Amino acid sequence: MNTNSNVYTIVYASVMVIIVAFVLAFFSGSLKERQDLNVKLDKKKQILYSLNLDLQDKDPAALYQQYITQELIVNVNGDVVERKGGFDLDIKTELAKKDESSRLLPVYECNIDGETKYIFPLYGAGLWGPIWGYIALNHDKNTVYGVYFSHAGETPGLGAEITSHVFQSQFPNKKIKNTTNDLVSIAIVKPGKTAEGQDYVDGISGGTITSHGVELMLKNTLVNYTSFLNK
Amino acid sequence: MKSLFSAKNKEVIVGPLSLNNPITVQVLGICSSLAVTAKLEPAIVMGMSVTIIVAISNVIISFMRNTIPVRIRIIVQLVVVATLVTVVSQFLKAFAYDVSVQLSVYVGLIITNCILMGRLEAFAMSNRPWESFLDGLGNGFGYALILVIVAFFRELLGSGSLLGFHVIPASVYESGYVNNGLMVMPPMALIILAIIIWAHRTKVKQLQDN
């Protein structure tokens, strides 16, 4: 057979593409469930990290069950829209909504040793790509209990240090509101510098833009929760 | 069965480990070897993924080699590789999620890894499936070997750990030792790679120019 003829080439290519399409569809379909589970489990892990929990060798799903009592959905007016389903919301898509009043915001209510904590998801931009995280506040909705930050592609050793314990351990016990009870978030400043009228932590040397990104992320995400935080 | 491991076949699989190593001698696949070698674990997974993909795609292309229209042979090779890479990437997402997050785009970029296209075009298109399989394994191992060596030094000196376990005792840190932050940056992978190539060429006489 002449494998160089036009007809042969076209038929060959078409048949190959159809076979490949079936193979890919089969694998994608049969593995989808497991992949979704992994994504959810990873999200639960990240939420738990903001509670300063050590997840080494522990089952994150069980811990999540144990600590997280409610997955609230609140709106920008601070009203609780629903008491479950907050986990399935994606803060990125909610923040992208132009109409602020239509945003539905997840809040995770949890119970640690009898004390209520609130966890808020964060989303913002670093230097090279998105950064995100979770911030846990005490019952007063003001004092930070713990934070967790992650990133898609910040520079290792510089911006990527926002994931380090050294950086994140500065946040607990800082306040996100000022003395007149206005939401001012937490500033991230050059080591040695200070910030007027709000709590601050040291930024990362060589990771200035990422540090600034974290500051903006905290501010811009938390501002959506203003009413809820003041209730 | 004897012919399965004839001297020629042995050469096909052993050659790429040293004399014909895809990274240090042919200088292919450099980009991914810089990107995924900051830690040992992703390097090992990457090496395994590439080995599996080269071996299987070599076999598939070798089976198809007499039917492939010459004019679209590169496209056919790409489609086979892309399919396999997508499947492997889906498997990683389902069964080794943490690793797949670390490898991120680099799994997808296996498609453009020169080693793959090089082996398909240079070997699988003109050899029988069994030889192609061995050739794929050999080249994959050769690639993985270098990745693991580079990652070993980068993780040890950059993070003080191996496979995530701290191996440098705390007493060493107390006496003033610090991890070398440069080691986790891509440029150091290039330098380590260059040192490996240097050592390799110094040792193996056949690789030296007169």
Side-chain angles (χ1 to χ4, degrees):
Chain A
M1 189 156 63
N2 177 14
T3 58
N4 281 325
S5 76
N6 287 344
V7 177
Y8 180 83
T9 304
I10 290 170
V11 171
Y12 193 93
S14 317
V15 171
M16 180 181 69
V17 168
I18 291 168
I19 292 173
V20 164
F22 273 104
V23 170
L24 288 181
F26 170 75
F27 278 106
S28 171
S30 51
L31 294 172
K32 183 110 184 60
E33 213 169 305
R34 259 197 98 90
Q35 293 172 358
D36 290 347
L37 266 178
N38 279 331
V39 173
K40 278 191 182 147
L41 200 64
D42 190 57
K43 190 171 174 182
K44 285 182 180 172
K45 263 193 208 167
Q46 298 189 13
I47 293 170
L48 290 172
Y49 278 129
S50 72
L51 294 172
N52 310 320
L53 295 172
D54 181 17
L55 296 182
Q56 197 82 45
D57 305 323
K58 286 185 194 141
D59 177 20
L63 282 179
Y64 187 86
Q65 277 279 320
Q66 182 187 339
Y67 288 113
I68 310 291
T69 47
Q70 287 193 98
E71 299 165 345
L72 305 176
I73 300 176
V74 300
N75 59 20
V76 283
N77 299 323
D79 305 319
V80 175
V81 182
E82 212 153 343
R83 300 210 157 261
K84 57 178 192 315
F87 185 81
D88 300 319
L89 285 178
D90 183 11
I91 186 74
K92 180 184 168 191
T93 32
E94 297 303 323
L95 289 180
K97 284 182 189 167
K98 286 241 165 58
D99 178 15
E100 285 181 17
S101 59
S102 70
R103 288 179 187 167
L104 293 170
L105 308 155
V107 177
Y108 305 91
E109 197 184 286
C110 34
N111 189 324
I112 292 196
D113 305 329
E115 283 180 53
T116 308
K117 315 274 179 205
Y118 297 98
I119 303 178
F120 304 88
L122 305 165
Y123 187 85
L127 171 60
W128 302 116
I131 51 177
W132 63 91
Y134 293 90
I135 182 166
L137 301 181
N138 281 341
H139 186 61
D140 61 2
K141 293 179 185 167
N142 184 11
T143 316
V144 177
Y145 180 71
V147 291
Y148 168 81
F149 301 126
S150 191
H151 65 94
E154 300 306 299
T155 320
L158 301 175
E161 289 295 298
I162 58 167
T163 59
S164 70
H165 180 70
V166 181
F167 180 66
Q168 295 179 3
S169 63
Q170 301 181 90
F171 284 86
N173 298 324
K174 301 282 178 201
K175 306 240 188 290
I176 58 167
K177 294 176 192 168
N178 64 9
T179 43
T180 55
N181 221 16
D182 294 319
L183 177 69
V184 287
S185 183
I186 297 166
I188 296 172
V189 297
K190 277 191 179 171
K193 293 267 170 64
T194 57
E196 274 300 307
Q198 65 187 125
D199 278 3
Y200 58 89
V201 298
D202 286 348
I204 290 151
S205 311
T208 312
I209 299 178
T210 312
S211 303
H212 188 61
V214 174
E215 180 181 314
L216 282 179
M217 167 172 82
L218 281 165
K219 196 170 180 175
N220 294 343
T221 315
L222 287 176
V223 82
N224 290 282
Y225 288 98
T226 311
S227 313
F228 180 79
L229 291 169
N230 287 331
K231 277 207 172 166
Chain B
M1 282 309 275
K2 217 181 191 179
S3 66
L4 283 185
F5 287 102
S6 62
K8 189 168 156 270
N9 284 353
K10 224 177 250 170
E11 177 51 36
V12 162
I13 191 165
V14 176
L17 292 182
S18 167
L19 262 189
N20 211 3
N21 189 287
I23 299 187
T24 60
V25 179
Q26 300 174 22
V27 199
L28 297 173
I30 295 288
C31 127
S32 56
S33 64
L34 302 187
V36 297
T37 51
K39 293 266 156 64
L40 206 44
E41 193 190 357
I44 292 171
V45 175
M46 185 72 173
M48 274 165 43
S49 309
V50 169
T51 306
I52 293 167
I53 291 170
V54 188
I56 298 178
S57 59
N58 254 0
V59 171
I60 294 175
I61 289 294
S62 177
F63 271 118
M64 293 162 69
R65 70 184 189 280
N66 293 328
T67 66
I68 298 174
V70 179
R71 277 177 295 177
I72 59 165
R73 68 181 193 285
I74 301 281
I75 298 172
V76 174
Q77 291 164 12
L78 259 181
V79 169
V80 169
V81 174
T83 311
L84 285 170
V85 167
T86 313
V87 170
V88 166
S89 150
Q90 300 269 352
F91 264 99
L92 284 179
K93 272 196 195 125
F95 296 102
Y97 186 79
D98 293 340
V99 178
S100 84
V101 169
Q102 281 181 49
L103 290 175
S104 61
V105 296
Y106 294 103
V107 174
L109 284 179
I110 295 176
I111 297 171
T112 56
N113 193 319
C114 322
I115 298 172
L116 274 126
M117 296 306 287
R119 291 335 290 169
L120 293 179
E121 180 71 6
F123 201 93
M125 284 298 282
S126 49
N127 284 282
R128 281 177 311 196
W130 175 245
E131 282 83 0
S132 301
F133 179 68
L134 294 180
D135 178 76
L137 279 189
N139 275 281
F141 287 148
Y143 173 82
L145 179 70
I146 302 297
L147 243 62
V148 167
I149 296 175
V150 175
F152 174 83
F153 286 110
R154 286 183 73 188
E155 184 168 357
L156 182 67
L157 301 175
S159 314
S161 59
L162 285 176
L163 284 171
F165 297 105
H166 274 275
V167 289
I168 296 183
S171 57
V172 178
Y173 286 105
E174 277 155 23
S175 62
Y177 173 82
V178 281
N179 288 329
N180 185 344
L182 254 187
M183 275 291 170
V184 295
M185 312 279 277
M188 283 313 284
L190 206 56
I191 290 171
I192 294 175
L193 195 58
I195 294 173
I196 295 173
I197 294 179
W198 178 23
H200 189 206
R201 300 215 168 182
T202 312
K203 207 157 171 291
V204 183
K205 291 273 178 283
Q206 291 101 306
L207 292 174
Q208 292 168 5
D209 295 330
N210 291 323

